[in-house]
């Protein structure tokens, strides 16, 4: 599966040949997609909508979220909810109930990425990384630095994750390489 922002399309790619086997039209300015095990979900930023694509047959449904969404941002899936970053808010969209059920205010806006690690949704931009507990509503906001990223681990300690001079990833309790 490949997302084409310019042509507002999602392409199903044949694994063995590499050729496009299906072209599916989605909304305006599609910027991110996630898979829930049955459907591909595409966030359409200009429309403030989601396009749900059934991978079995390519059929689509568009969900208008313009009453809730106003900006742009990434999405991620936690097994129950599709988490949608919109400006400085993280929304939890329950796919079974087809409704926005949660919202969390983030520390900044213009986030570039979102990922779910099994317990937390992590969202990041060039300045911040926010860690949001999707079950308990608590989280952390940490600055990022040009040489590394500072994370708060489940061991209740800060970690500096960075690339050393040989290009290997390092995890250090010293925050020197993250400043």
């Amino acid at each position: 599966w490949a997302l084409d922002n310019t042509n507002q399309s999602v392409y199903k790619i044949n694994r063995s040949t590499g050729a496009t086997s299906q072209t599916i039209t989605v909304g305006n300015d599609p910027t991110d997609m996630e898979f829930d095990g049955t459907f591909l979900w595409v966030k359409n930023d200009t429309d403030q909508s989601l396009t749900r694509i059934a991978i079995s047959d390519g059929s689509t449904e568009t969900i208008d979220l313009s009453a809730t969404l106003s900006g742009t941002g990434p999405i991620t899936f936690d097994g129950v909810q599709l988490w949608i970053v919109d400006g400085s808010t993280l929304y939890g969209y329950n796919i079974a109930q087809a409704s926005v059920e949660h919202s969390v205010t983030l520390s900044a806006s213009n986030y570039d990425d979102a990922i779910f690690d099994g317990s937390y949704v992590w969202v990041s931009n060039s300045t911040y990384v926010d860690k949001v507990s999707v079950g308990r509503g608590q989280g952390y906001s940490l600055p990022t630095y040009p040489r590394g990223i500072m994370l708060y681990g489940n061991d209740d300690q800060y970690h500096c994750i960075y690339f050393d001079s040989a290009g290997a990833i390092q995890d250090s309790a010293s925050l020197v390489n993250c400043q």
Side-chain angles (χ1 to χ4, degrees):
W1 296 93
L3 181 64
D4 181 353
N5 178 277
T6 303
N7 294 307
Q8 301 163 350
S9 298
V10 171
Y11 305 112
K12 183 176 182 179
I13 309 296
N14 183 303
R15 275 188 262 198
S16 57
T17 66
T20 299
S21 62
Q22 189 173 18
T23 301
I24 301 163
T25 301
V26 295
N28 290 317
D29 194 19
T31 56
D32 204 357
M33 68 180 176
E34 282 290 320
F35 181 60
D36 72 5
T38 303
F39 298 98
L40 275 177
W41 293 85
V42 178
K43 183 171 184 231
N44 307 302
D45 282 347
T46 301
D47 296 344
Q48 289 97 31
S49 69
L50 296 170
T51 299
R52 185 179 77 169
I53 303 169
I55 63 163
S56 60
D57 63 8
S59 61
T60 64
E61 177 184 0
T62 299
I63 296 109
D64 180 7
L65 295 175
S66 61
T68 303
L69 303 180
S70 62
T72 63
I75 59 176
T76 191
F77 182 66
D78 73 0
V80 175
Q81 296 191 85
L82 192 63
W83 291 92
I84 305 165
V85 179
D86 182 55
S88 60
T89 305
L90 177 66
Y91 291 101
Y93 179 81
N94 185 312
I95 62 171
Q97 302 299 318
S99 64
V100 175
E101 295 188 345
H102 304 285
S103 67
V104 176
T105 301
L106 301 170
S107 59
S109 60
N110 300 319
Y111 286 91
D112 303 316
D113 203 3
I115 191 165
F116 177 69
D117 71 1
S119 299
Y120 300 93
V121 172
W122 296 82
V123 293
S124 65
N125 65 15
S126 61
T127 308
Y128 289 94
V129 175
D130 284 11
K131 174 184 175 183
V132 179
S133 173
V134 296
R136 295 182 297 274
Q138 60 186 346
Y140 305 93
S141 175
L142 303 171
T144 60
Y145 299 94
R147 291 187 296 174
I149 185 169
M150 193 167 32
L151 300 174
Y152 190 78
N154 58 1
D155 60 356
D156 294 325
Q157 300 294 318
Y158 285 100
H159 295 264
C160 175
I161 310 299
Y162 66 97
F163 290 100
D164 65 15
S165 60
I169 294 179
Q170 300 295 323
D171 175 359
S172 172
S174 168
L175 304 180
V176 171
N177 289 298
C178 278
Q179 297 177 359

